[in-house]
Amino acid sequence: MPDVLLPSADEAYSSPDAQGFFGPYGGTFVPETVMPVLAELEAAYRTAQADPAFAEELNLLLKDYVGRPSPLYRADRLAEATGLGAVYLKREDLNHTGAHKINNTLGQCLLAKRMGKHRVIAETGAGQHGVATATTAALMGMECAIFMGTEDIRRQSLNVYKMRLLGAEVVPVDEGSGTLADAVTAALRHWVERVEDTFYVIGSVVGPHPYPAMVRDFQAVIGTETIAQIAEKAIPRVDAVIACVGGGSNAAGMFYPFLHDVPTEKRPLLIGAEAAGLGLESGKHGAALTKGSPGVLHGFYSYLLQDDAGNPLEAYSISAGLDYPGVGPEHSFLKDEGLVRYDAVTDKEAVDAFALCTRTEGIIPAIESSHALALLPRLAAELGPDAVVIVNVSGRGDKDMDIVHEAGLGVD
Amino acid sequence: MVAYVMAGYPDRAGSLAALEAVARGGAGVIELGVPYGDAVADGPVIVDAGKAALANGFGLAETIALAGEFLGAHADAPPVALMTYLNPMMRLGFPRVATLAAEAGVSGFIVPDLPPDSPMADRWLVESEPLGIDTVFLAAPTSPPARLDALSTRSRGFVYVVSSLGVTGERDELATGLAALVARVREHTTLPVAVGFGVGTPEQAAEVAKIANGVVVGSAIVRRQGDAAELEAFVRALVGAVEG
């Protein structure tokens, strides 16, 4: 494996423009107080990106602390069960802390240190980003506060305990539906108060510029490794690459190198799996790209679940990590441009895929990642029995035991 | 003295009564808040009032209609500026927002999440300025000179200085360094300067009035919106303190 390099700042494809727009999406829509701080952050990020010492420090942590590269595992029993020629799983679940989130928190916390900030805050839904941030803060000796909705605290109590154990303060957010969107708002409000000494570690490709591009770049290690592993394993053809999309960071990290480095004619079908919750017509889902319309939330312009007056709607998904009414602006751009397809997966399909992956491969995927796995049987029908598909298993499912049990995956 | 009133809170009639009360109390400008579900710049009092108003079916269109009714009924009413987040404006569409607001007699807009240097600001100003609607941009303690220049150049009517870091709401004490901040802003503009965020008592208002042309009081007024008589007396006390 070659060392993983951060993508350069001057590539042709979809680096957002100078004001942070991917086509019409993205931008910076925040109170004036934070505007100068975002400008400082962008400058610091560009400097770090151009500094080989930064890449070296990050790559060493990714290798020795996270355990990268994560394997690209050939899942033959899952392929057989879903009627596909081959299925490869990109094992982000094997990362330290159990998900892709740590790729980004290490990058951002290193940047925070460079900027002289010793206190970090973060929002979390499923708790994976909260745990990754708390872990990184412990590693780097930083003060850490994690904002988490009360409903998510209920759904993900194990991760709450982990964060506290790691020395982070978990701040319960009892507004709205007590889920990810409310946690983001609370973290943004807190940040406005403490911008001078606090770095906001956003966990997905959302928020005001430069976060969507920066988080994507830190997660691009996933796709970069995958492309190298395809070559290494001499896999002659890949028909599709799937990743789940809430805010969309694991998908952006997987897709971006394919969009950037692989010529169109050789590029596999890229598919994002959104949360259809109880069904797209039920009104209880998190499918911003499939059912939303463009609007501004949390500082950026993107597809959004909103009412006629422009208020954000409450999203719903069995998966706390996909339970978000917006989506990263780059995904909105990729959808409009037809460069990535976005399909929606219900709670039930995700739970079925969770069970199937667990029982055919002995790999317990996160309920978020199970949304991506759920597309496998559909792709078999669409692409035929010889199709070769890569799925990004963005995290492990240990945290989801109670949820899948409640959803009826009893063990007799 | 700039008085912030939340539209539709505690209900439509109550907010109309509150507009009349702050006008009778002598407010020089009324800032009419538009209820929104993700009020990221606001503290608990305004957030909760906004949620109650949302539950009453209030949004940007209803707020503009309320302003129109108030201004239409009171020829001597103070100018009304709407304080709204960006997304309700985008949802209704900038041209329609500008037209409806101009028809209602609304004087200006304050949009806390619309930066003056954003392409979205260009698109809004192209619609609003020809109709005589002023847009007020906000200056913060963190704003460097270049941003103060940009926001002052684009502001019309006055420049709104955010007194301290954080969201709207009453604070025990005024921010330290406020006088220096106002002085810094004045280096970049000849427009009047109003100070808001964290001003909640007549004593604080009197302090701010020594250095600024205007004082914005929000949460302390919204808390009294259920009782028009008390609200009028409170605004009168604020105005008295400001005019000292």
Side-chain angles (χ1 to χ4, degrees), chain A residues 11-311:
Chain A
E11 73 273 354
Y13 162 78
S14 86
S15 262
D17 69 18
Q19 289 185 299
F21 284 94
F22 301 87
Y25 303 109
T28 314
F29 302 101
V30 292
E32 173 64 22
T33 307
V34 245
M35 289 296 293
V37 182
L38 291 168
E40 264 173 55
L41 172 60
E42 193 192 0
Y45 176 55
R46 293 299 163 210
T47 308
Q49 219 181 7
D51 180 357
F54 183 80
E56 195 182 326
E57 194 177 0
L58 179 56
N59 284 333
L60 188 67
L61 284 170
L62 289 173
K63 178 169 170 282
D64 291 345
Y65 189 72
V66 178
R68 303 206 71 94
S70 67
L72 185 66
Y73 162 75
R74 185 180 160 123
D76 286 339
R77 280 177 39 81
L78 183 59
E80 195 190 336
T82 50
L84 286 157
V87 170
Y88 290 87
L89 305 180
K90 179 62 173 165
R91 300 290 309 276
E92 291 297 300
D93 59 311
L94 292 178
N95 292 343
H96 178 45
T97 72
H100 68 292
K101 295 292 188 184
I102 190 112
N103 303 328
N104 169 49
T105 58
L106 285 171
Q108 287 198 46
C109 289
L110 278 180
L111 197 57
K113 264 175 59 176
R114 287 188 153 224
M115 295 176 73
K117 310 225 173 181
H118 298 287
R119 179 171 183 272
V120 294
I121 58 167
E123 82 294 337
T124 198
Q128 293 305 98
H129 175 58
V131 168
T133 305
T135 299
T136 309
L139 170 71
M140 298 186 186
M142 294 168 136
E143 195 186 323
C144 177
I146 305 293
F147 292 80
M148 188 170 188
T150 45
E151 167 63 12
D152 288 339
I153 287 178
R154 186 191 69 77
R155 287 194 280 192
Q156 302 288 351
S157 55
L158 181 64
N159 274 340
V160 174
Y161 180 68
K162 275 190 199 164
M163 288 184 268
R164 290 186 171 140
L165 206 57
L166 286 158
E169 178 195 358
V170 178
V171 184
V173 179
D174 196 18
E175 266 195 55
S177 52
T179 56
L180 181 55
D182 310 297
V184 175
T185 301
L188 278 170
R189 284 201 186 112
H190 176 86
W191 195 38
V192 175
E193 240 169 82
R194 293 284 301 264
V195 279
E196 288 172 324
D197 72 339
T198 296
F199 187 104
Y200 182 12
V201 181
I202 293 187
S204 191
V205 286
V206 300
H209 179 64
Y211 282 101
M214 180 173 70
V215 175
R216 173 201 70 194
D217 291 351
F218 286 138
Q219 292 293 359
V221 63
I222 302 172
T224 305
E225 280 179 8
T226 302
I227 290 170
Q229 287 163 326
I230 291 168
E232 220 172 64
K233 291 177 188 296
I235 302 168
R237 191 191 80 242
V238 176
D239 298 289
V241 180
I242 319 173
C244 65
V245 178
S249 72
N250 89 80
M254 176 59 103
F255 296 160
Y256 179 61
F258 281 91
L259 292 162
H260 185 248
D261 301 337
V262 179
T264 317
E265 64 279 8
K266 288 190 178 169
R267 194 180 298 148
L269 187 59
L270 304 174
I271 308 175
E274 286 198 291
L278 301 181
L280 288 176
E281 304 313 317
S282 70
K284 304 272 277 176
H285 59 77
L289 289 162
T290 308
K291 297 293 280 187
S293 55
V296 168
L297 178 69
H298 296 149
F300 65 103
Y301 180 64
S302 192
Y303 279 90
L304 171 68
L305 301 174
Q306 58 182 327
D307 67 16
D308 291 340
N311 296 290

Side-chain angles (χ1 to χ4, degrees), chain B residues 152-240:
Chain B
S152 299
T153 306
R154 298 215 110 174
S155 279
R156 298 287 180 272
F158 62 96
V159 172
Y160 189 134
V161 175
V162 174
S163 75
S164 53
L165 303 179
V167 293
T168 58
E170 298 145 90
R171 319 240 206 282
D172 289 343
E173 286 176 18
L174 290 173
T176 52
L178 181 57
L181 171 62
V182 171
R184 230 159 39 79
V185 174
R186 284 201 197 277
E187 285 170 21
H188 298 270
T189 185
T190 52
L191 288 174
V193 169
V195 171
F197 284 49
V199 186
T201 66
E203 295 71 28
Q204 290 172 333
E207 278 301 303
V208 173
K210 289 179 191 161
I211 52 169
N213 309 90
V215 183
V216 187
V217 177
S219 296
I221 285 177
V222 172
R223 279 202 292 115
R224 292 171 169 86
Q225 261 183 248
D227 183 338
E230 190 200 341
L231 180 56
E232 182 182 335
F234 180 62
V235 172
R236 187 160 286 128
L238 289 168
V239 171

